[in-house]
Amino acid sequence: MKKCYELVEKNKQLVLDAEKYIWANPEPGYKEFKTNAYMLEQFRKLGYTDIVEAKDCTGFYTVVDTGRVGPTVLVMAELDSLINRLHPECDKETGAVHNCGHHAQCAAMLGVAAALKEEGALDNLCGRIKLCVVPAEEGIEIGYRKGLVEKGQIEFTSGKPEFISRRFFDDVDIAFMMHTTVNDDEKINFVLTKGHNGVIRKRTIVKGKSSHAGARPHEGINALNAASLIIVAINSLRETFKESYYARVHSIITKGGDAVNAVPNEVVIESYVRCAEPKAHKLVNDSVNRAISAAAAAIGCTVRIEDMAGSEALHEDPNLREVALEVFEEIAGKDGYKYDDTWAASSTDMGDISTLFPAIHMYSAGAKGSTHGINFYIEDAYKCCVNGAKAEFGLIVKLLENNAIRAKEVMAKFTPVFKSVDEYLAHKRSINMEKDTVIMNEDGTITLDYKK
């Protein structure tokens, strides 16, 4: 195994340069045009000629074939940034910033891609390695993504479900990726967790009636007041969610009115509803939709709810995790990694991958500050990106060496959530809903129709 880590080390400058470039050029989901072009350029410089690019959106994949029959291992990196206009290093025009650390994933991916091209890299390996950069993991700018859906450019607002629907992963047997993390223990280089929540993304359009806010407010119907009541109503539900749901509901108002001297006639709210399991997710989401509809009706507003399938809950594969922990120890020593046996209430579309084949979402330390915060940055790019690439390459080797005995063991013990991609897609599509949920009847009564 020492040899494979040396192959990554040989290409460390490529990794470190990529981390700096992509950090300086952040782009949010489905807008990662510069980052996508940079990654394509670097892959081509490394000698990758057979690259499949996604049409009408960013992202691509390529395959390294060992020439010997065996499983296909998928390694992913995410292209997109967040938006935080208060971060000191954000793009001054767009507010985009990689305070999620996805730029480090792409840098590590290049380290893996470079190592795979080195002489002897595929010795004793079988099967195929699929390297894929994916767009739009962060579920922001829901309105923009909804527009792409309406144009027919994408079906899903998250990149991995979109790539699953495009059948990019039909040949995959095992998958993993490496994410950046903040860890205060300087000895720790790698972390694994138990899993993450799934998420349903929502856009709520509250419709009222405009009038002069000073002279004739009684002639208006205040959509902003309805939105305020909606948020209070949702908050009042929190004690009804079982602890086992790991439920999280949070919202922002992206449109609050047009003029301060006019009663707001339209307000737009974007929300996440997160849960650990699909059945609980539906219960919580239905409760939230009921609260939205009833609160809007109480003020006399109508409302349109747009529910969009986000990410499935991520259940880390325990058998694949055990192989990864061996790799972590080889790179960082016995005290250089940890397994955190807790459930994370955050979400990632790696969860969608985990419903179809064995998957893990690894973490590499080296960042400081608060993830998604205004003080996030990479302090130790070598620890984060170069060692991250070593772990990914090491896991590839562990799985595919010796006739892929470890990979086959992991695959044999795995039970998928969905029996097929078609079943998975049917589930995702069943979540999507777009309807007017408050109906003002001619006789003065109100009908609430908030379930799909």
Side-chain angles (χ1 to χ4, degrees):
M1 291 297 293
K2 181 181 178 182
K3 176 185 174 183
C4 77
Y5 304 136
E6 290 174 348
L7 296 182
V8 174
E9 183 72 21
K10 183 178 177 181
N11 293 279
K12 69 178 181 180
Q13 196 57 50
L14 170 66
V15 176
L16 297 174
D17 289 346
E19 187 272 329
K20 289 179 181 178
Y21 175 86
I22 302 173
W23 170 265
N25 292 275
E27 300 161 299
Y30 290 127
K31 297 178 181 177
E32 313 99 324
F33 305 115
K34 288 184 292 184
T35 311
N36 191 71
Y38 176 82
M39 293 294 287
L40 276 170
E41 179 186 12
Q42 298 307 313
F43 265 78
R44 286 171 176 147
K45 284 182 178 178
L46 289 170
Y48 289 91
T49 56
D50 189 10
I51 297 174
V52 178
E53 298 182 57
K55 295 181 180 179
D56 295 325
C57 76
T58 46
F60 63 88
Y61 72 83
T62 189
V63 175
V64 178
D65 196 328
T66 67
R68 293 172 284 275
V69 176
T72 297
V73 173
L74 170 66
V75 187
M76 285 173 289
E78 296 158 349
L79 291 164
D80 60 324
S81 75
L82 275 166
I83 294 176
N84 190 321
R85 295 183 184 278
L86 296 180
H87 194 288
E89 296 190 47
C90 74
D91 184 294
K92 301 310 177 187
E93 292 185 7
T94 66
V97 62
H98 274 293
N99 56 343
C100 50
H102 291 184
H103 69 297
Q105 296 179 27
C106 290
M109 169 70 81
L110 287 176
V112 175
L116 285 168
K117 285 294 186 179
E118 293 289 346
E119 185 178 353
L122 304 181
D123 290 353
N124 198 34
L125 303 187
C126 68
R128 302 159 80 240
I129 303 103
K130 177 170 282 191
L131 304 177
C132 181
V133 293
V134 292
E137 187 274 334
E138 302 289 354
I140 61 174
E141 299 187 304
I142 295 174
Y144 168 74
R145 297 185 190 196
K146 185 70 165 46
L148 296 181
V149 173
E150 290 170 352
K151 292 176 184 176
Q153 289 183 229
I154 59 172
E155 180 179 2
F156 294 103
T157 57
S158 288
K160 295 184 192 70
E162 179 64 22
F163 278 19
I164 293 171
S165 74
R166 295 181 184 216
R167 304 288 176 160
F168 285 179
F169 303 148
D170 278 9
D171 58 344
V172 169
D173 297 298
I174 292 175
F176 59 83
M177 59 174 288
M178 180 70 73
H179 200 292
T180 312
T181 191
V182 175
N183 197 286
D184 293 331
D185 187 343
E186 296 296 331
K187 294 182 297 183
I188 298 297
N189 198 147
F190 302 109
V191 179
L192 274 170
T193 62
K194 187 176 182 180
H196 292 255
N197 271 353
V199 62
I200 294 173
R201 297 178 183 134
K202 309 177 74 67
R203 192 165 73 135
T204 302
I205 304 169
V206 186
K207 293 279 191 177
K209 180 182 177 183
S210 187
S211 67
H212 195 292
R216 310 192 71 80
H218 55 284
E219 293 182 358
I221 302 174
N222 196 312
L224 185 58
N225 287 348
S228 299
L229 191 58
I230 284 170
I231 291 172
V232 171
I234 293 172
N235 287 341
S236 299
L237 290 172
R238 295 184 189 279
E239 66 185 19
T240 69
F241 302 148
K242 291 182 180 180
E243 294 295 329
S244 60
Y245 293 175
Y246 290 92
R248 301 288 189 275
V249 185
H250 45 96
S251 306
I252 61 170
I253 293 176
T254 59
K255 179 182 179 182
D258 295 313
V260 71
N261 63 345
V263 172
N265 70 317
E266 182 177 275
V267 171
V268 180
I269 307 169
E270 291 188 2
S271 310
Y272 276 9
V273 178
R274 307 186 197 247
C275 272
E277 297 293 343
K279 289 183 180 179
H281 216 162
K282 177 168 173 51
L283 290 172
V284 171
N285 193 58
D286 284 348
S287 297
V288 169
N289 284 352
R290 183 186 64 220
I292 290 170
S293 305
I299 303 301
C301 289
T302 59
V303 67
R304 186 166 188 80
I305 296 176
E306 299 172 354
D307 281 348
M308 289 160 272
S311 307
E312 297 301 304
L314 168 63
H315 293 272
E316 307 272 8
D317 184 79
N319 302 298
L320 183 55
R321 180 176 64 223
E322 290 305 311
V323 184
L325 292 176
E326 293 177 18
V327 174
F328 293 170
E329 184 169 335
E330 290 176 355
I331 297 169
K334 291 184 178 180
D335 298 325
Y337 67 95
K338 71 174 183 178
Y339 168 54
D340 186 355
D341 190 19
T342 57
W343 187 263
S346 55
S347 306
T348 167
D349 58 6
M350 191 65 179
D352 294 74
I353 300 295
S354 77
T355 65
L356 294 168
F357 24 80
I360 54 172
H361 187 265
M362 304 179 288
Y363 289 91
S364 183
K368 288 294 182 182
S370 177
T371 303
H372 291 202
I374 63 171
N375 61 343
F376 179 92
Y377 66 99
I378 301 298
E379 180 184 58
D380 189 337
Y382 182 93
K383 183 177 183 179
C384 177
C385 305
V386 179
N387 280 355
K390 288 180 181 179
E392 290 184 307
F393 189 42
L395 187 50
I396 291 170
V397 173
K398 284 274 189 187
L399 291 169
L400 296 182
E401 68 181 351
N402 301 323
N403 198 32
I405 186 171
R406 300 300 295 277
K408 291 172 182 176
E409 288 174 354
V410 170
M411 293 159 57
K413 295 176 181 177
F414 177 70
T415 302
V417 175
F418 301 106
K419 295 177 182 178
S420 67
V421 171
D422 287 336
E423 185 178 311
Y424 159 84
L425 290 172
H427 163 75
K428 298 296 283 188
R429 291 163 182 157
S430 74
I431 296 170
N432 296 332
M433 181 188 81
E434 185 172 342
K435 67 190 301 187
D436 298 320
T437 64
V438 177
I439 301 166
M440 302 293 185
N441 301 313
E442 291 183 2
D443 62 0
T445 60
I446 297 173
T447 299
L448 303 184
D449 182 19
Y450 56 86
K451 291 186 178 181
K452 186 171 182 181

